[in-house]
Amino acid sequence: MSASASDQARALLLRESCGTLSTHSRKFPGFPFGSLVTYALDRKGAPVMQLSDLAQHTRNLEADPRASLMLQELQEEDVQASARLTILGTVVRISAAEAEDSGARYFRRFPDASGYQEVHEFAFYRMEVVALRFIGGFGAIHWLEAPEVLPQNPFDAETEAGIVEHMNEDHVSSLRHYCQHFKQLEVPEAVSPVMTSIDAEGFEVRLGQRLHRFFTDQLMQNAQDARKALVRMAYAGRNTTPGAGQLR
């Protein structure tokens, strides 16, 4: 059975890490203003961006918070056939308390951005999604509602941080195996893969400067589900069975 449009749109949102943020220009009223931004998802699946107070798009949002964020999965052969998702919503600055969790997820995804917050007057903003437009290829065009697409994360901040820390400290060999077996990636001995996040449908690993999304074969709702899924993937393609040294 092929995935539904909402499933495909959610997978694209989870896989990608940057997009074009279009705001209403203050300098040239009536014209859209596009900017490249990176994002992470909060626990309700909404995109969270780290924006500078000095940036033109931030000044535009101060005057009119309505915006769109366009994501595209680029393909070398035919860009028109690649999937893309346009998210419409209002962009709001989030509180310091909320930014503590969303910011931690963002910085795990983009560690080099952690120094921006104070030095360059950056803050975190969330897009409150109103609607989504998904194009899965020629003729596959759908308007979708937020509840259909946004990936709700069942893990609280403490649980997610604990799983991520455990994998990065004790199971780098498994992370390496995920990259090699499921993505056919070359992993130099000098480079250690780093898990950045986990959610109901999978997890993300950073290898050097590239982010790679892994989807699990079953949904995860708690730490026990996550352990089972990670163990299955750690032994996939190997002539061994779980035993001594397995994930725990």
Side-chain angles (χ1 to χ4, degrees), residues 36-78:
L36 180 66
V37 296
T38 54
Y39 70 88
L41 301 179
D42 68 12
R43 302 210 174 272
K44 295 183 179 181
V48 172
M49 300 160 284
Q50 187 190 36
L51 306 178
S52 170
D53 292 345
L54 304 178
Q56 187 65 59
H57 49 239
T58 307
R59 295 177 178 179
N60 292 342
L61 291 169
E62 290 172 352
D64 189 337
R66 294 175 300 172
S68 70
L69 179 63
M70 189 270 194
L71 318 177
Q72 184 163 12
E73 184 175 45
L74 296 179
Q75 297 181 357
E76 294 182 4
E77 295 183 359
D78 187 355

Side-chain angles (χ1 to χ4, degrees), residues 2-65:
S2 60
S4 67
S6 58
D7 289 341
Q8 294 179 63
R10 184 168 55 256
L12 180 60
L13 179 60
L14 287 163
R15 278 197 305 269
E16 297 304 309
S17 60
C18 65
T20 300
L21 177 69
S22 293
T23 56
H24 295 269
S25 177
R26 291 177 61 181
K27 186 175 180 63
F28 299 99
F31 286 87
F33 181 86
S35 307
L36 180 66
V37 296
T38 54
Y39 70 88
L41 301 179
D42 68 12
R43 302 210 174 272
K44 295 183 179 181
V48 172
M49 300 160 284
Q50 187 190 36
L51 306 178
S52 170
D53 292 345
L54 304 178
Q56 187 65 59
H57 49 239
T58 307
R59 295 177 178 179
N60 292 342
L61 291 169
E62 290 172 352
D64 189 337

Side-chain angles (χ1 to χ4, degrees), residues 14-15 17 29 39 87 118 129 138 150 184 201 216 226 240-241:
L14 287 163
R15 278 197 305 269
S17 60
Y39 70 88
I87 309 170
E118 296 180 1
V129 179
F138 292 113
L150 300 189
Q184 290 77 55
E201 299 182 52
T216 52
T240 57
T241 56

Side-chain angles (χ1 to χ4, degrees), residues 97-113:
E98 188 177 357
E100 184 175 349
D101 180 24
S102 296
R105 300 194 92 230
Y106 186 93
F107 291 143
R108 286 200 299 265
R109 206 173 203 205
F110 309 106
D112 292 342

